[in-house]
Amino acid sequence: MQKTMQTGLVVAVILAVLTIFEYVFAVNFDDDTIRFIGLSFAAVAKAALIVYFFMHVYRLWRVEEAH
Amino acid sequence: MAVIAPTEAYHPVRDHLKLNRAGLWLFFFSECVLFGLLLSARFYLEGIQREELDQLLGLGITIILLLSSVTAFTAETAIEHDNRKLANWGLIATIALGVLFAAGVGYEWSIAHFHRDEAFGTLFFTMTGIHASHVISGIGILVLVWVQFLRGRFTGKDHWPIAGAVMYWHFVDVVWVFFYPALYLVN
């Protein structure tokens, strides 16, 4: 359990950093196109982290014990 | 005629779980279509223009929702390992943070200076409204699961309702991950 929780905390820290990056990037960057691309990149990265580590999408095609 | 033997014996509990999981992911896919259409309507109607919104409030409710995903993950991991005390606190914290997020959206609605008749107003109230309705239904599902949990219903080997409710909660979080920059940060 400790290892799983550690992974979850690392993912949470990365999500927090990406969220702060989004905010600072959007507030301080003038070019609309680059800002849009940067925000899209951050959003896709955050969604991928949540879908993989928190929603366990890999369990869909993994053979495992019942719970 | 040769008969091909199944490689794996049918296991009712495990296979039922696989079906539940696949069904939930199909539901998420259909929800992605709904939220994807709202997102595309937002950029089709307004481009990357937007009205002024309270940036700190937007950042605050976003952090609250991300934090609730962490507590939901904690609850699921804890029940998987039969740690009932931590699972209980994880569920309570997730519900509380969800209520706080919904209250934040409600407050944002009360101070929004634009009107629902404007294009951005229509988009803003529709997107946040449909998302908030999912948050509120997620809170309802989590409360139902929590009551069952308090009655001693779940174990480390049998906790699909908690796992399903938590997955739904994470999905609501994923939607906000795209809605937040689209509404608050572009332009």
Side-chain angles (χ1 to χ4, degrees):
Chain A
M1 180 179 164
Q2 207 171 4
K3 196 184 168 196
T4 315
M5 286 304 298
Q6 276 175 354
T7 308
L9 281 177
V10 169
V11 173
V13 169
I14 296 171
L15 288 172
V17 169
L18 281 171
T19 305
I20 301 297
F21 162 79
E22 263 182 334
Y23 180 76
V24 173
F25 185 73
V27 169
N28 294 303
F29 219 83
D30 285 336
D31 190 302
D32 284 345
T33 311
I34 293 177
R35 183 170 44 214
F36 182 79
I37 292 168
L39 289 175
S40 303
F41 174 78
V44 170
K46 282 164 70 179
L49 284 170
I50 295 170
V51 167
Y52 190 82
F53 288 102
F54 287 175
M55 295 174 79
H56 316 293
V57 68
Y58 52 86
R59 285 181 181 171
L60 267 178
W61 47 84
R62 193 178 75 181
V63 178
E64 61 179 329
E65 290 298 308
H67 69 74
Chain B
M1 192 173 79
V3 177
I4 300 169
T7 53
E8 210 177 317
Y10 175 71
H11 188 297
V13 177
R14 183 197 60 209
D15 291 350
H16 195 238
L17 177 69
K18 281 171 115 175
L19 277 175
N20 284 346
R21 203 173 272 154
L24 191 57
W25 276 98
L26 281 174
F27 168 69
F28 291 155
F29 180 74
S30 68
E31 290 277 271
C32 281
V33 175
L34 168 73
F35 287 112
L37 284 172
L38 285 172
L39 207 57
S40 58
R42 181 257 176 272
F43 287 109
Y44 178 74
L45 289 173
E46 287 286 287
I48 54 169
Q49 304 303 314
R50 67 169 174 83
E51 297 279 338
E52 195 53 46
L53 288 163
D54 190 333
Q55 288 296 324
L56 281 180
L57 181 62
L59 182 65
I61 59 175
T62 302
I63 288 172
I64 286 169
L65 201 60
L66 283 175
L67 207 57
S68 75
S69 254
V70 178
T71 55
F73 172 80
T74 304
E76 187 191 5
T77 307
I79 193 66
E80 268 177 6
H81 293 84
D82 278 318
N83 188 339
R84 298 187 68 80
K85 194 177 173 187
L86 187 59
N88 186 36
W89 282 113
L91 286 172
I92 291 172
T94 308
I95 293 164
L97 289 167
V99 170
L100 210 56
F101 176 86
V105 173
Y107 178 69
E108 177 74 282
W109 279 25
S110 72
I111 60 167
H113 64 274
F114 43 85
H115 198 261
R116 63 176 183 272
D117 291 345
E118 302 167 37
F120 187 82
T122 305
L123 290 164
F124 176 80
F125 288 115
T126 306
M127 289 170 76
T128 54
I130 292 182
H131 180 263
S133 72
H134 281 72
V135 169
I136 290 164
S137 61
I139 292 168
I141 294 166
L142 282 168
V143 168
L144 286 175
V145 164
W146 180 54
V147 170
Q148 293 286 309
F149 171 82
L150 290 179
R151 291 177 178 168
R153 161 80 173 72
F154 308 118
T155 64
K157 293 281 177 196
D158 174 24
H159 62 274
W160 164 248
I162 289 185
V166 165
M167 275 172 72
Y168 179 78
W169 192 257
H170 291 314
F171 175 75
V172 170
D173 193 11
V174 168
V175 172
W176 188 252
V177 158
F178 290 98
F179 276 20
Y180 167 61
L183 290 171
Y184 285 83
L185 298 180
V186 290
N187 196 27

